[in-house]
Amino acid sequence: MKISMWSKGTSARRLASFMNIGVNQRDAELYIRWKRVDDVRPGRPCINKRDAVRLASNKFKSLIIISENNIKTVSVSTDIRAFVPKKDCIFFGRDFYHTRGQDIEIYKWPFRVSRRDYYTLYIKPDNEYRYHVAFGKVILATKKVLAEGETDNSLIRNHQDGKWKQITVRPIKRYSDACIDAVKSLGLDFGAVDFLTKDNISYILEVNTAPGLEVDNRLEAYANAFYSYLKMR
């Protein structure tokens, strides 16, 4: 079977090279859709269907769907009045479509608010994780930790700035179950679920359909998941 990644991203190209498959090949028999939402060749099967990726890409709408499936998420609203009256709260303004947290605007009392697509209530996390889910299983779990010698009291734990990094950890079942259910609720075959924990309760932040694969074990995890799935087809 001729398989092709369907993507414009560098991570997908790295994974395609690792798996020795093509990228954006129109004559493929099966496509692995890595975020890209335009049409593949008509009638050809896709891992991660277009509509599911489109839904997951709208971070606000996807959180609403996940919440409606009785999975805990951070509180969100398009109405800023849901948060402004709460004097002691902190909340974020966000865009419907975003990557790497570059859109986040922090609001504290006294509020000076600019209009954003939606708002999310800040929860001070005990820990933050990313669980990679594929075909109903957690294939890799990572935890966000401070780099050695670093200190950081910021509200946003951005691993892109070098202070925070991701380390591989053993998945915890109750968190795995929530992540698997979140991916399933969006109709996805695979996705990377970002969540925080507070008092051992997980709160989903978002589901990514084009996770970064800069760390080698992520390439192996996804490649092995796709290999195992394709053997079952």
Side-chain angles (χ1 to χ4, degrees):
M1 176 182 290
K2 187 171 184 178
I3 305 167
S4 177
M5 300 295 297
W6 193 247
S7 176
K8 298 178 182 178
T10 55
S11 287
R13 292 183 178 276
R14 290 188 67 212
L15 181 56
S17 176
F18 189 83
M19 296 179 64
N20 195 29
I21 62 174
V23 179
N24 300 330
Q25 295 180 331
R26 285 283 178 183
D27 59 344
E29 298 171 84
L30 182 143
Y31 298 93
I32 301 172
R33 188 186 297 275
W34 204 264
K35 191 174 182 178
R36 189 173 172 180
V37 294
D38 55 338
D39 284 328
V40 299
R41 188 175 178 181
R44 297 302 168 95
C46 250
I47 296 174
N48 268 5
K49 293 181 173 56
R50 179 185 61 181
D51 289 347
V53 173
R54 184 173 287 147
L55 172 58
S57 297
N58 185 320
K59 302 305 183 181
F60 172 76
K61 188 173 181 180
S62 61
L63 283 173
I64 295 298
I65 296 296
I66 292 168
S67 178
E68 288 175 348
N69 280 269
N70 298 315
I71 306 161
K72 282 190 176 296
T73 69
V74 290
S75 297
V76 294
S77 178
T78 55
D79 187 352
I80 199 167
R81 291 173 296 181
F83 300 124
V84 167
K86 301 177 182 179
K87 181 175 180 178
D88 295 328
C89 80
I90 299 171
F91 62 100
F92 302 140
R94 306 217 62 177
D95 300 331
F96 287 141
Y97 303 93
H98 57 256
T99 58
R100 297 186 177 182
Q102 295 171 346
D103 65 306
I104 299 176
E105 187 167 353
I106 301 172
Y107 301 122
K108 298 180 182 179
W109 185 270
F111 298 121
R112 295 181 180 178
V113 177
S114 58
R115 179 68 185 173
R116 303 303 292 270
D117 289 339
Y118 74 100
Y119 308 91
T120 178
L121 186 65
Y122 170 72
I123 300 173
K124 185 177 181 180
D126 295 329
N127 292 293
E128 290 186 42
Y129 297 89
R130 171 172 282 192
Y131 278 20
H132 298 264
V133 174
F135 311 110
K137 297 180 180 179
V138 172
I139 60 172
L140 183 67
T142 62
K143 180 180 179 181
K144 193 175 290 187
V145 299
L146 275 170
E148 185 176 355
E150 293 285 357
T151 58
D152 188 356
N153 295 317
S154 61
L155 298 176
I156 303 168
R157 297 177 173 182
N158 185 1
H159 69 276
Q160 304 294 333
D161 63 10
K163 290 184 177 182
W164 295 89
K165 63 180 183 178
Q166 299 276 356
I167 61 169
T168 302
V169 295
R170 185 184 298 274
I172 298 170
K173 186 179 185 305
R174 63 181 177 276
Y175 302 156
S176 294
D177 290 345
C179 291
I180 291 167
D181 288 345
V183 170
K184 182 180 179 180
S185 73
L186 299 178
L188 294 167
D189 297 308
F190 71 88
V193 185
D194 291 338
F195 66 98
L196 63 83
T197 61
K198 183 69 174 178
D199 300 327
N200 294 318
I201 298 172
S202 60
Y203 297 86
I204 304 296
L205 298 170
E206 64 182 33
V207 178
N208 300 280
T209 59
L213 300 177
E214 293 80 8
V215 181
D216 287 343
N217 63 348
R218 297 183 192 178
L219 288 172
E220 294 171 355
Y222 277 94
N224 289 336
F226 291 137
Y227 289 147
S228 296
Y229 172 76
L230 293 170
K231 287 178 182 178
M232 294 171 61
R233 288 176 58 84

mmCIF file of all heavy atoms in Angstrom, residues 116-136:
data_model
loop_
_atom_site.group_PDB
_atom_site.id
_atom_site.type_symbol
_atom_site.label_atom_id
_atom_site.label_comp_id
_atom_site.label_asym_id
_atom_site.label_seq_id
_atom_site.Cartn_x
_atom_site.Cartn_y
_atom_site.Cartn_z
ATOM 1 N N ARG A 116 -10.869 39.601 22.485
ATOM 2 C CA ARG A 116 -10.297 38.391 21.903
ATOM 3 C C ARG A 116 -11.416 37.425 21.540
ATOM 4 O O ARG A 116 -12.572 37.625 21.916
ATOM 5 C CB ARG A 116 -9.322 37.734 22.890
ATOM 6 C CG ARG A 116 -8.199 38.645 23.348
ATOM 7 C CD ARG A 116 -7.370 39.196 22.184
ATOM 8 N NE ARG A 116 -6.598 38.181 21.517
ATOM 9 C CZ ARG A 116 -5.349 37.850 21.873
ATOM 10 N NH1 ARG A 116 -4.766 38.489 22.880
ATOM 11 N NH2 ARG A 116 -4.692 36.917 21.221
ATOM 12 N N ASP A 117 -11.067 36.355 20.829
ATOM 13 C CA ASP A 117 -12.091 35.407 20.377
ATOM 14 C C ASP A 117 -12.781 34.710 21.545
ATOM 15 O O ASP A 117 -13.992 34.526 21.554
ATOM 16 C CB ASP A 117 -11.482 34.350 19.458
ATOM 17 C CG ASP A 117 -11.091 34.916 18.110
ATOM 18 O OD1 ASP A 117 -11.627 35.968 17.730
ATOM 19 O OD2 ASP A 117 -10.243 34.297 17.436
ATOM 20 N N TYR A 118 -11.980 34.304 22.542
ATOM 21 C CA TYR A 118 -12.567 33.663 23.715
ATOM 22 C C TYR A 118 -11.626 33.818 24.895
ATOM 23 O O TYR A 118 -10.479 34.280 24.760
ATOM 24 C CB TYR A 118 -12.892 32.189 23.442
ATOM 25 C CG TYR A 118 -11.696 31.248 23.393
ATOM 26 C CD1 TYR A 118 -11.356 30.449 24.494
ATOM 27 C CD2 TYR A 118 -10.930 31.112 22.245
ATOM 28 C CE1 TYR A 118 -10.289 29.567 24.443
ATOM 29 C CE2 TYR A 118 -9.859 30.233 22.193
ATOM 30 C CZ TYR A 118 -9.538 29.461 23.293
ATOM 31 O OH TYR A 118 -8.483 28.593 23.243
ATOM 32 N N TYR A 119 -12.126 33.413 26.068
ATOM 33 C CA TYR A 119 -11.381 33.603 27.313
ATOM 34 C C TYR A 119 -11.393 32.305 28.104
ATOM 35 O O TYR A 119 -12.349 31.524 28.058
ATOM 36 C CB TYR A 119 -12.010 34.743 28.127
ATOM 37 C CG TYR A 119 -12.171 35.989 27.302
ATOM 38 C CD1 TYR A 119 -13.368 36.222 26.598
ATOM 39 C CD2 TYR A 119 -11.138 36.898 27.173
ATOM 40 C CE1 TYR A 119 -13.507 37.345 25.801
ATOM 41 C CE2 TYR A 119 -11.277 38.023 26.380
ATOM 42 C CZ TYR A 119 -12.455 38.239 25.691
ATOM 43 O OH TYR A 119 -12.580 39.340 24.894
ATOM 44 N N THR A 120 -10.321 32.082 28.830
ATOM 45 C CA THR A 120 -10.212 30.861 29.618
ATOM 46 C C THR A 120 -9.697 31.189 31.013
ATOM 47 O O THR A 120 -8.780 32.013 31.173
ATOM 48 C CB THR A 120 -9.289 29.837 28.931
ATOM 49 O OG1 THR A 120 -9.160 28.670 29.731
ATOM 50 C CG2 THR A 120 -7.907 30.423 28.679
ATOM 51 N N LEU A 121 -10.299 30.579 31.996
ATOM 52 C CA LEU A 121 -9.944 30.849 33.383
ATOM 53 C C LEU A 121 -8.624 30.181 33.735
ATOM 54 O O LEU A 121 -8.390 29.020 33.403
ATOM 55 C CB LEU A 121 -11.047 30.337 34.313
ATOM 56 C CG LEU A 121 -10.902 30.669 35.804
ATOM 57 C CD1 LEU A 121 -11.005 32.174 36.030
ATOM 58 C CD2 LEU A 121 -11.980 29.935 36.613
ATOM 59 N N TYR A 122 -7.759 30.911 34.408
ATOM 60 C CA TYR A 122 -6.461 30.368 34.821
ATOM 61 C C TYR A 122 -6.622 29.492 36.056
ATOM 62 O O TYR A 122 -7.275 29.874 37.030
ATOM 63 C CB TYR A 122 -5.494 31.507 35.128
ATOM 64 C CG TYR A 122 -4.198 31.065 35.787
ATOM 65 C CD1 TYR A 122 -3.241 30.379 35.053
ATOM 66 C CD2 TYR A 122 -3.943 31.341 37.125
ATOM 67 C CE1 TYR A 122 -2.053 29.971 35.641
ATOM 68 C CE2 TYR A 122 -2.763 30.938 37.722
ATOM 69 C CZ TYR A 122 -1.817 30.250 36.975
ATOM 70 O OH TYR A 122 -0.654 29.844 37.564
ATOM 71 N N ILE A 123 -6.032 28.316 35.983
ATOM 72 C CA ILE A 123 -5.919 27.420 37.132
ATOM 73 C C ILE A 123 -4.431 27.236 37.409
ATOM 74 O O ILE A 123 -3.678 26.859 36.500
ATOM 75 C CB ILE A 123 -6.566 26.044 36.859
ATOM 76 C CG1 ILE A 123 -8.056 26.197 36.551
ATOM 77 C CG2 ILE A 123 -6.356 25.098 38.037
ATOM 78 C CD1 ILE A 123 -8.712 24.900 36.101
ATOM 79 N N LYS A 124 -4.000 27.528 38.619
ATOM 80 C CA LYS A 124 -2.592 27.323 38.948
ATOM 81 C C LYS A 124 -2.310 25.834 38.980
ATOM 82 O O LYS A 124 -2.833 25.109 39.828
ATOM 83 C CB LYS A 124 -2.250 27.949 40.300
ATOM 84 C CG LYS A 124 -0.760 27.869 40.625
ATOM 85 C CD LYS A 124 -0.428 28.565 41.926
ATOM 86 C CE LYS A 124 1.071 28.489 42.208
ATOM 87 N NZ LYS A 124 1.433 29.170 43.472
ATOM 88 N N PRO A 125 -1.485 25.326 38.067
ATOM 89 C CA PRO A 125 -1.324 23.874 37.952
ATOM 90 C C PRO A 125 -0.323 23.305 38.954
ATOM 91 O O PRO A 125 0.659 23.962 39.314
ATOM 92 C CB PRO A 125 -0.804 23.703 36.522
ATOM 93 C CG PRO A 125 -0.046 24.969 36.262
ATOM 94 C CD PRO A 125 -0.766 26.057 37.018
ATOM 95 N N ASP A 126 -0.606 22.079 39.374
ATOM 96 C CA ASP A 126 0.423 21.319 40.090
ATOM 97 C C ASP A 126 1.446 20.790 39.089
ATOM 98 O O ASP A 126 2.652 20.811 39.348
ATOM 99 C CB ASP A 126 -0.218 20.151 40.848
ATOM 100 C CG ASP A 126 -1.143 20.622 41.959
ATOM 101 O OD1 ASP A 126 -0.888 21.699 42.536
ATOM 102 O OD2 ASP A 126 -2.137 19.920 42.245
ATOM 103 N N ASN A 127 0.931 20.313 37.952
ATOM 104 C CA ASN A 127 1.794 19.798 36.881
ATOM 105 C C ASN A 127 1.120 20.008 35.536
ATOM 106 O O ASN A 127 -0.098 20.194 35.465
ATOM 107 C CB ASN A 127 2.068 18.297 37.076
ATOM 108 C CG ASN A 127 2.921 18.010 38.305
ATOM 109 O OD1 ASN A 127 4.089 18.368 38.354
ATOM 110 N ND2 ASN A 127 2.324 17.381 39.299
ATOM 111 N N GLU A 128 1.926 19.976 34.482
ATOM 112 C CA GLU A 128 1.388 20.035 33.120
ATOM 113 C C GLU A 128 1.978 18.898 32.303
ATOM 114 O O GLU A 128 3.159 18.554 32.443
ATOM 115 C CB GLU A 128 1.713 21.379 32.464
ATOM 116 C CG GLU A 128 0.957 22.552 33.063
ATOM 117 C CD GLU A 128 1.188 23.840 32.289
ATOM 118 O OE1 GLU A 128 1.186 23.794 31.044
ATOM 119 O OE2 GLU A 128 1.381 24.885 32.939
ATOM 120 N N TYR A 129 1.130 18.326 31.444
ATOM 121 C CA TYR A 129 1.521 17.152 30.675
ATOM 122 C C TYR A 129 1.090 17.287 29.226
ATOM 123 O O TYR A 129 0.213 18.070 28.879
ATOM 124 C CB TYR A 129 0.848 15.891 31.229
ATOM 125 C CG TYR A 129 1.217 15.519 32.642
ATOM 126 C CD1 TYR A 129 0.495 16.028 33.726
ATOM 127 C CD2 TYR A 129 2.260 14.642 32.907
ATOM 128 C CE1 TYR A 129 0.805 15.671 35.025
ATOM 129 C CE2 TYR A 129 2.580 14.272 34.215
ATOM 130 C CZ TYR A 129 1.849 14.794 35.269
ATOM 131 O OH TYR A 129 2.150 14.437 36.556
ATOM 132 N N ARG A 130 1.689 16.461 28.390
ATOM 133 C CA ARG A 130 1.186 16.189 27.039
ATOM 134 C C ARG A 130 1.185 14.679 26.846
ATOM 135 O O ARG A 130 2.238 14.034 26.931
ATOM 136 C CB ARG A 130 2.041 16.855 25.963
ATOM 137 C CG ARG A 130 1.664 16.408 24.542
ATOM 138 C CD ARG A 130 2.367 17.190 23.459
ATOM 139 N NE ARG A 130 1.739 18.496 23.289
ATOM 140 C CZ ARG A 130 1.993 19.313 22.255
ATOM 141 N NH1 ARG A 130 2.866 18.954 21.329
ATOM 142 N NH2 ARG A 130 1.384 20.478 22.155
ATOM 143 N N TYR A 131 -0.014 14.132 26.629
ATOM 144 C CA TYR A 131 -0.159 12.711 26.350
ATOM 145 C C TYR A 131 -0.470 12.555 24.866
ATOM 146 O O TYR A 131 -1.426 13.155 24.354
ATOM 147 C CB TYR A 131 -1.289 12.090 27.172
ATOM 148 C CG TYR A 131 -0.924 11.710 28.596
ATOM 149 C CD1 TYR A 131 0.175 12.264 29.243
ATOM 150 C CD2 TYR A 131 -1.706 10.795 29.305
ATOM 151 C CE1 TYR A 131 0.489 11.922 30.549
ATOM 152 C CE2 TYR A 131 -1.399 10.439 30.607
ATOM 153 C CZ TYR A 131 -0.307 11.008 31.231
ATOM 154 O OH TYR A 131 -0.001 10.663 32.532
ATOM 155 N N HIS A 132 0.322 11.743 24.189
ATOM 156 C CA HIS A 132 0.129 11.463 22.774
ATOM 157 C C HIS A 132 -0.752 10.224 22.645
ATOM 158 O O HIS A 132 -0.408 9.154 23.162
ATOM 159 C CB HIS A 132 1.475 11.234 22.095
ATOM 160 C CG HIS A 132 2.386 12.430 22.148
ATOM 161 N ND1 HIS A 132 2.481 13.339 21.112
ATOM 162 C CD2 HIS A 132 3.226 12.867 23.122
ATOM 163 C CE1 HIS A 132 3.357 14.287 21.447
ATOM 164 N NE2 HIS A 132 3.818 14.023 22.654
ATOM 165 N N VAL A 133 -1.877 10.389 21.958
ATOM 166 C CA VAL A 133 -2.880 9.331 21.842
ATOM 167 C C VAL A 133 -3.010 8.921 20.380
ATOM 168 O O VAL A 133 -3.065 9.781 19.490
ATOM 169 C CB VAL A 133 -4.249 9.810 22.364
ATOM 170 C CG1 VAL A 133 -5.329 8.758 22.113
ATOM 171 C CG2 VAL A 133 -4.164 10.159 23.845
ATOM 172 N N ALA A 134 -3.055 7.613 20.131
ATOM 173 C CA ALA A 134 -3.286 7.119 18.773
ATOM 174 C C ALA A 134 -4.078 5.825 18.837
ATOM 175 O O ALA A 134 -3.709 4.900 19.575
ATOM 176 C CB ALA A 134 -1.961 6.888 18.037
ATOM 177 N N PHE A 135 -5.181 5.798 18.116
ATOM 178 C CA PHE A 135 -6.012 4.604 17.985
ATOM 179 C C PHE A 135 -6.429 4.028 19.339
ATOM 180 O O PHE A 135 -6.365 2.827 19.589
ATOM 181 C CB PHE A 135 -5.290 3.549 17.140
ATOM 182 C CG PHE A 135 -4.740 4.113 15.855
ATOM 183 C CD1 PHE A 135 -3.365 4.245 15.669
ATOM 184 C CD2 PHE A 135 -5.585 4.540 14.858
ATOM 185 C CE1 PHE A 135 -2.853 4.786 14.501
ATOM 186 C CE2 PHE A 135 -5.081 5.094 13.677
ATOM 187 C CZ PHE A 135 -3.711 5.212 13.502
ATOM 188 N N GLY A 136 -6.850 4.940 20.232
ATOM 189 C CA GLY A 136 -7.400 4.524 21.511
ATOM 190 C C GLY A 136 -6.387 4.158 22.574
ATOM 191 O O GLY A 136 -6.760 3.586 23.606
#
